[in-house]
Amino acid sequence: MSERPVPRRRRIGVLGGAFDPPHRAHRALAEAALAQLDLDALHIVPTGQAWHKARPLTDATHRLAMCQRAFGDLPGVVLDARELRRTGPSYTVDTLTELRAEHPAAELLLLLGADQWAALPTWKRWRDVLALATVVVAQRPGCVAPGPPGARVLSLALPPLPVSST
């Protein structure tokens, strides 16, 4: 009797951000994730009310439209507006919890830049974030961040693009 191959777990990438505006580095990160991580889907999640931003964000409708233009042509991309529909501050742990409930057998991969990886211990329920998803860190030029000890973390090969929304 031959053994049946074990089916591969569905892999869902999650790339969140203000995307105010989305730029070439965001696009390069999405393309690299799709090419390197064997993703079944990549959720692009514009933040609703950003708890960590001092400046007001552009209206959600406009940021969603910019994300559609920036990422909509990439295969496997899901433009995920759940945080824009939420009232109150947007937290990654809430989004990952919802995605886990929707896809209980999937592997969630949270894509972060090295700057956000370094800031992770300031996030709401950051240990739960690490329990819900494997973190994939895209290194930025001049930013080396070891992150919390014991976390499941992968690196994403990304060409250096010294660009930010600010």
Side-chain angles (χ1 to χ4, degrees):
M1 208 181 239
S2 65
E3 290 185 34
R4 286 190 199 164
V6 177
R8 181 182 73 76
R9 276 176 84 185
R10 186 166 161 77
R11 295 180 67 137
I12 299 173
V14 181
L15 175 57
F19 300 118
D20 194 20
H23 52 66
R24 288 189 322 252
H26 293 135
R27 170 79 183 206
L29 179 56
E31 290 172 338
L34 290 165
Q36 297 172 39
L37 298 175
D38 194 25
L39 298 176
D40 295 293
L42 174 59
H43 285 242
I44 303 292
V45 186
T47 192
Q49 185 181 352
W51 62 270
H52 61 292
K53 296 276 187 190
R55 66 180 175 84
L57 297 178
T58 300
D59 181 75
T61 305
H62 297 300
R63 290 186 295 116
L64 191 61
M66 288 188 285
C67 285
Q68 179 60 45
R69 290 191 58 140
F71 306 107
D73 65 325
L74 294 174
V77 162
V78 175
L79 194 56
D80 189 329
R82 74 182 66 227
E83 290 191 9
L84 299 174
R85 293 188 295 266
R86 245 184 239 145
T87 57
S90 293
Y91 297 107
T92 300
V93 69
D94 297 330
T95 298
L96 292 175
T97 300
E98 290 173 5
L99 284 167
R100 170 61 58 229
E102 293 166 17
H103 308 280
E107 179 181 9
L108 301 179
L109 296 109
L110 177 63
L111 304 164
L112 298 177
D115 55 341
Q116 287 303 309
W117 176 237
L120 188 73
T122 67
W123 290 17
K124 179 181 179 183
R125 296 177 39 211
W126 66 272
R127 287 181 179 87
D128 291 339
V129 168
L130 295 177
L132 288 162
T134 298
V135 175
V136 181
V137 178
Q139 298 297 328
R140 283 183 138 172
C143 187
V144 177
R152 292 179 321 241
V153 63
L154 303 173
S155 289
L156 192 63
L158 191 65
L161 292 168
V163 177
S164 78
S165 294
T166 55

